[in-house]
Amino acid sequence: MAGLTIPQPLGRGLDTLLRPYSQVIFSRSRVSGALILLAVATSPHVAVATLLAVAVAQTVVIVAGLGVDAARDGVHASTAVLTTLALAYGLGAPAPALVAVSAVLAVCVSAAVRMALSGGPAAPLSLPFVISAWTALLASRVLPGATALAPAVWPIESWIASLGASLSWLDVPAAILFLPSAMAGLLLLSAIIWHSRIAALLALVGAAAAALTRIVFRHEVGWSDVDLTASFNATLTSMALGGVWFVPHPSSILLAAAGAMLTCVVTYALLPVASTWSLPLLSLPFAVTTIAVMYAMRLRQQDRSPASAPLANRPEDALSHHLMRVRRFGEFAWLPFRLPFRGPWLVTQGHNGAHTHKGPWRYALDFEIARPDADLESIRGGELADYACYGLPVLAAGSGTVDSVVDGVADNPINGLNARDNWGNVVVIAHAPNLFSVYAHLKPRSIRVKAGDLVKAGVEIGRCGNSGRSLVPHLHFQVQRTAVLGSETVPVDFGDVIARTNDRATLSHRVIPAEGAVVRPLVLDESLAQLLAFPPGSIWELRSDDNQTVEIATVDVDLWSRRVLQSSRGRLYVEPYDSGLIVVAFEGDRDSLLSMIRLAMTRVPFDQEGDLTWTDRVPRHLVWPGAEMFIDVAAVVAPGLTDLELTLTSHRTENAVTIDGDGGAVKTRLVISTGGQPHVIDVQRGETRRRVTLRRVPGDREENPK
Amino acid sequence: MKPPYERPVIVRHQVGGLNKFGAQPAIRVYDKFECVPVADLVAQYGSPLVLFSERVLRERFRELRDQLASRVARFTIAWSYKTNYLGAICRVLHQEGAWAEVVSGLELEMALRLGMPGRQIIFNGPAKSDADLDLAFREGAHIHIDHLDEVALAERVAERRGVRPSVGLRVNMTDLPVPCWDRFGFNLENGAAMDAARRIAKRGRLNLTALHVHVGTFVQERDAYELAACALAKWARQLREELDVHIDTIDMGGGFASRNTLQTQYLPGEQASPSLAQYADSIVTGLELGYAGQELPRLVLETGRAVVDDSGVIVATVVGNKRLTDGRRAVVLDAGVNILPTAYWYRHDIFPAQDVHGTAEPTVFFGPLCMNIDVVRDRILFPSLKAGDRVVIARTGAYNVTQWMQFIAARPNVVMVSPTGEHSIIRRAESLETLLQQEHMPAWLA
Amino acid sequence: MDTSRLRELAISDAGFVFDPTTGHTFNVNATALLLLRALKENAGSGRMLTDLAEAFEVDHEHDLARDIEEFLSQLREHGLIR
């Protein structure tokens, strides 16, 4: 992020120290951590206590074997920091022994809760903190010499007394740290803004929603700490729901506001409950509300608007991951489903089709083969073998486990119908606990899989037949929420679909084939696939066209199996899969040669077609340099305005495949040489035009390329 | 208004000819080629004129590609250069993704000159020289070995170059319903192929990764492909078990019949020749039977006339009429077997290029050569033509521009018409200069 | 030129010709029909030329004399005149 390069050991040390602080706002930024530490330092003795807590906690994390990475991550230690802050506020000046023991407790609870909730849709959030803070506070009551019982709700008077001035909005962020200081609030706010502008926007939304709720519920009553507690919890909820666990989008902002209001209500509800044990609410309403909302959102029929963000990160990262990858190519196992056959087939009945695709079965598709010189009507009648698709392979549309197989139903003669065995020979594949695909009317004794088999997308599962409720040989395909045949169908997109109309072949990467369209999956061009495989360990040379600038990039693999081309000036993340290559993200100097590649190579399909056309939508702020900080926010509030739409066409010659991209003011050209020459990338932005050549440097691990 | 004049004709009814009321069979007038008037093309490029349609060429190739695509996951279609090696034709096919299949050093150089990377060139043929193999290995082309001497030569060249190239073996089979072409490759049934494979595996200088069979030419018996594919697949598995040789490519060659009609054939080609779908079906069925459930290797097909025949026509002009002693009418054209050698093999369809009047009568079309064998079409019902009329001879795309003769008349322009109606010369007509520049007068005759 | 056999032929206006002696049937087009009729009346080439020119729209490309000559040889071929 920052341009500073810090030597590794120092960097690691800083992470271990600062990340526990930055994780309070779910950030990994050292600067944010430093700002928060400064915020805590407005009460010096509290700062010392937290530093002690961090030291103890991190030691425990390492010594207990939770891993050095966990220590660097700072998540467990951050629970300890918050616990110390709560103790400090509740007890004034907690004894170091208490602080140390509470830190150990915090780590233990944090790890335990994390483990208990792992595998589910929700994250622990601040639950470990609340549990360990309550435990510590309750335990402190038996300590000899303990100061007054921690008040159930902290009296507003003491708050105002320490401020000496009227309340300001800065108290809300300060309350996150349980520190009665406007300066602390300001520093925390700066930490949030530094970490993520979108999070800052969401914090504002949360605070506003809380204010609105207060007006609705408590407008006659004076401001009290209930409102303070509700406000800071609402702010946290809004940040979490609006940009961390869901992709930032106008719909996620709505969700954030709604969540914030719910949090206020939950705060009012929990108040009497907590006060019976004289325990402060801390950030329990936030945790409870957010976890509940996350579980509830899981039951949605479709994961969009807002889409859930699986890698909980900075909102900007979640947004960019969504725009660059999920929106373009789907999340599930690389692609949405693939067409379950090879070669061009005609969609004879689509979604909501006129014949049988109605009601609960409306999201089904029928496929037959289109002959090049005759329409289907003219060849009706005759024998099964006269039909081009009879006996052709049917493939699994996605990876999964075979759930059930029905075989042994005879083929009908042409125009015969078997209404008893409606589905004929049929295979059901489970892709997820609530996602099943169905392949019906298959040829008897052609099914090569059985229940329990693991299948990958594209593997043959049977042959097209005419069994069941089928007049002429065709493939019936549908996706359901349960494994029971005939249950409710859901619409799913197919990826990597090529449709041919009027001599133009168009590639779509998320489409539902329409009735009457002739569609086919990609046919792999092995030479392209080999050329652009970017194998780990390979070395690539980028050269500017005046030969003055040369960058060398090596290819590595990251934790998420992405290939990372790392040069001295940046990192390019690409994902080659079996039928294409996509560029996912770029970090680094946007003037570098490496950054030019991501514009020209947003997506390269490895298909044998001579002339192919497709479109791509890339968020503009990932394309244009400058002002990224605030374009991120604009992208959330007004998506679409910040998108760059590219139309790409590929064209083949004997020894090259040329891909031209047209995005209005941005034009790109990528020439992939299949004849051993360097690849050439041209980018034209407005008036400026730049050219880069890219070639693989021989002599790395793989065999010498020609 | 008086009715228009036509030449007086009396035609006797034959059994099986015209029906007894003399009704004319509908004659198609071929006055436009890809929406460009034939008359305009002749006015610009002269007569005779060889024409190619880019659209038909692409469509036929795509049809073959689609048929294979629906059946197998990995395949390659190679274009047989000997069928038509004009640069423009090859380029169209390479744009559609075709590799190059060459059978001589000359054709290999042609493909390389066009820009084909060596890895996308298949080099067949029984007569590869040292220089040919050297070029092939240098460029990374795939060779299919024809005989044991070639094995030895290839090993020597590979040794010299310091490479271990991937090669294929060409195989022939006796147990097929077509005549065995045992002059090419190693016979499978008598063990010669196995011996060759053993030899290659033992020496280790060459890496045997492909098997190739080419069952014949204009093969209308598609069972031959199914049986050949099955036999080859079984042999590939046997090679794996016995010699630990991994075959990753099976090349089923070509020989697919086009829609032309052979001279001795009763049914017209459109009905008698199997479709591309049927060929693909037979081949893939044979492979699947032979591999018995295992994953298929990459399938390569080498196609020629099945893809290009339909896209080419020859436009000719009527020079004169005469009547033969047996009553047939004879028409003399300015195009003959010098530029249409396939007239020996096929009964080409011929169409008038302008409106016709008059009764159709049995006609023979002769070419311009002063040779008795110069017959373009022996007997075809045709309406009357006068000198200067044009005719279009159909389905001439294959083998004519590679096998035509420089004999008596200069070879004419070859023109391609694009799908949008643009047209251009792709091979210029020859002239006296073309001939003379190859000649040299020896000193003692000067 | 012996055109006696022509008299035996049955010629319809539609151009259908039947030769009862041999049993052969023929088709003639309009111009041939006119010529046959003229020949039956023992017309000479001159008259046949003018008849044709009067009855049909002739453009200058056609060599009527040659066509008539050829037609006569066809008739000879079929044995209808000698």
Side-chain angles (χ1 to χ4, degrees), chain A residues 342 463 503 652 655 674, chain B residues 62 69-70 95 115 119 288:
Chain A
R342 298 190 192 105
R463 298 281 165 130
D503 217 39
R652 271 183 188 267
N655 51 15
T674 51
Chain B
R62 282 176 195 160
S70 33
Q95 278 183 355
R119 262 168 323 171
E288 284 173 346

Side-chain angles (χ1 to χ4, degrees), chain A residues 342-345 369-370 372-373 388 392-393 448 460 463 500 503 520 523-527 530-531 608-611 651-655 674-676 706, chain B residues 58 62-63 65-67 69-76 87 90-91 94-97 111 114-117 119-120 138-140 259 281 288 293 298 419:
Chain A
R342 298 190 192 105
W345 291 48
I369 286 247
D373 55 353
L392 283 188
R448 352 169 121 204
E460 181 182 323
R463 298 281 165 130
R500 180 169 279 278
D503 217 39
R520 70 167 176 88
V523 176
L524 183 67
D525 180 330
E526 289 176 1
S527 60
Q530 272 167 19
L531 284 170
Q608 293 187 10
E609 181 78 44
D611 287 291
H651 177 68
R652 271 183 188 267
T653 56
E654 286 84 3
N655 51 15
T674 51
K706 270 204 70 70
Chain B
R58 285 187 194 272
R62 282 176 195 160
E63 191 187 329
R65 191 183 66 204
D66 287 344
Q67 293 302 334
S70 33
R71 290 168 171 84
V72 290
R74 287 179 302 147
F75 67 91
T76 298
C90 296
R91 171 149 297 175
H94 292 319
Q95 278 183 355
E96 291 290 327
L114 263 184
M116 283 303 275
R119 262 168 323 171
Q120 293 179 9
R138 187 167 78 230
E139 295 293 332
R259 294 182 199 161
D281 211 30
E288 284 173 346
R298 188 150 57 92

Side-chain angles (χ1 to χ4, degrees), chain A residues 217-243:
Chain A
F217 279 87
R218 294 167 54 79
H219 63 276
E220 295 117 18
V221 187
W223 178 271
S224 77
D225 25 63
V226 167
D227 301 297
L228 189 60
T229 312
S231 296
F232 90 78
N233 273 278
T235 308
L236 288 173
T237 305
S238 168
M239 279 165 49
L241 288 178

Side-chain angles (χ1 to χ4, degrees), chain B residues 333-345:
Chain B
L333 299 173
D334 62 359
V337 293
N338 56 331
I339 63 169
L340 189 66
T342 57
Y344 292 134
W345 311 335

Side-chain angles (χ1 to χ4, degrees), chain A residues 370-551:
Chain A
R371 275 181 42 188
D373 55 353
D375 59 289
L376 286 173
E377 285 314 309
S378 66
I379 58 163
R380 290 270 186 257
E383 305 296 318
L384 286 172
D386 291 339
Y387 284 76
C389 63
Y390 182 73
L392 283 188
V394 170
L395 317 176
S399 304
T401 314
V402 177
D403 187 84
S404 64
V405 167
V406 172
D407 203 346
V409 178
D411 279 326
N412 310 322
I414 299 300
N415 290 326
L417 192 107
N418 180 349
R420 201 190 60 184
D421 304 300
N422 196 17
W423 305 91
N425 299 308
V426 59
V427 174
V428 179
I429 299 181
H431 306 281
N434 55 356
L435 203 68
F436 297 83
S437 59
V438 176
Y439 312 75
H441 311 313
L442 301 177
K443 191 171 161 192
R445 283 172 304 282
S446 73
I447 298 178
R448 352 169 121 204
V449 294
K450 58 186 189 305
D453 284 350
L454 279 169
V455 291
K456 280 172 48 160
V459 149
E460 181 182 323
I461 55 175
R463 298 281 165 130
C464 180
N466 197 34
S467 58
R469 196 191 176 97
S470 173
L471 293 167
V472 291
H474 73 284
L475 171 66
H476 176 96
F477 176 85
Q478 65 184 48
V479 177
Q480 313 175 149
R481 282 275 172 219
T482 75
V484 175
L485 280 173
S487 59
E488 184 97 24
T489 53
V490 288
V492 282
D493 295 317
F494 287 88
D496 281 350
V497 171
I498 295 183
R500 180 169 279 278
T501 44
N502 295 342
D503 217 39
R504 273 172 62 99
T506 312
L507 168 69
S508 311
H509 24 265
R510 288 190 82 166
V511 72
I512 296 177
E515 196 167 305
V518 174
V519 292
R520 70 167 176 88
L522 289 185
V523 176
L524 183 67
D525 180 330
E526 289 176 1
S527 60
L528 275 186
Q530 272 167 19
L531 284 170
L532 295 180
F534 290 112
S538 55
I539 302 174
W540 297 75
E541 176 197 87
L542 295 93
R543 197 176 271 274
S544 63
D545 62 346
D546 56 6
N547 268 317
Q548 293 302 320
T549 326
V550 174
E551 276 174 38

Side-chain angles (χ1 to χ4, degrees), chain A residues 56 177 226 513 656:
Chain A
V56 171
L177 295 174
V226 167

Side-chain angles (χ1 to χ4, degrees), chain A residues 23-323:
Chain A
Q23 287 286 6
V24 171
I25 53 167
F26 311 112
S27 163
R28 295 161 59 94
S29 153
R30 286 176 201 151
V31 173
S32 294
L35 284 169
I36 295 179
L37 177 53
L38 276 178
V40 173
T42 54
S43 299
H45 67 284
V46 177
V48 169
T50 56
L51 284 171
L52 172 63
V54 165
V56 171
Q58 296 287 42
T59 312
V60 171
V61 165
I62 294 174
V63 163
L66 292 176
V68 179
D69 285 326
R72 284 189 62 200
D73 242 8
V75 172
H76 302 303
S78 120
T79 310
V81 166
L82 283 168
T83 308
T84 311
L85 288 170
L87 278 178
Y89 195 72
L91 304 177
L98 181 60
V99 168
V101 170
S102 310
V104 176
L105 174 69
V107 169
C108 179
V109 171
S110 170
V113 173
R114 207 160 289 278
M115 182 63 214
L117 284 182
S118 71
L125 297 176
S126 61
L127 272 183
F129 154 56
V130 173
I131 294 173
S132 68
W134 278 2
T135 312
L137 284 171
L138 286 170
S140 73
R141 293 178 199 175
V142 307
L143 287 177
T147 51
L149 286 176
V153 285
W154 296 324
I156 199 68
E157 298 77 25
S158 62
W159 195 274
I160 294 177
S162 43
L163 282 178
S166 54
L167 284 174
S168 70
W169 279 112
L170 290 172
D171 291 312
V172 175
I176 295 177
L177 295 174
F178 313 105
L179 288 171
S181 156
M183 176 54 79
L186 183 63
L187 284 167
L188 188 83
L189 209 53
S190 318
I192 295 179
I193 293 177
W194 177 271
H195 160 64
S196 158
R197 271 65 60 199
I198 296 179
L201 170 70
L202 290 166
L204 224 69
V205 166
L212 187 64
T213 317
R214 191 193 120 76
I215 291 174
V216 167
F217 279 87
R218 294 167 54 79
H219 63 276
E220 295 117 18
V221 187
W223 178 271
S224 77
D225 25 63
V226 167
D227 301 297
L228 189 60
T229 312
S231 296
F232 90 78
N233 273 278
T235 308
L236 288 173
T237 305
S238 168
M239 279 165 49
L241 288 178
V244 175
W245 305 100
F246 293 94
V247 175
H249 187 261
S251 58
S252 80
I253 296 180
L254 271 174
L255 180 68
M261 294 172 89
L262 277 179
T263 310
C264 294
V265 173
V266 168
T267 312
Y268 306 146
L270 283 176
L271 192 58
V273 174
S275 61
T276 55
W277 292 304
S278 302
L279 284 171
L281 276 180
L282 300 175
S283 51
L284 183 62
F286 152 63
V288 165
T289 314
T290 311
I291 291 175
V293 170
M294 276 158 62
Y295 266 99
M297 294 291 268
R298 259 309 171 97
L299 262 194
R300 289 183 300 166
Q301 281 228 321
Q302 287 199 306
D303 187 16
R304 17 179 108 157
S305 293
S308 49
L311 306 165
N313 256 335
R314 285 176 72 219
E316 282 79 353
D317 294 337
L319 178 64
S320 113
H321 172 86
H322 181 79
L323 292 177

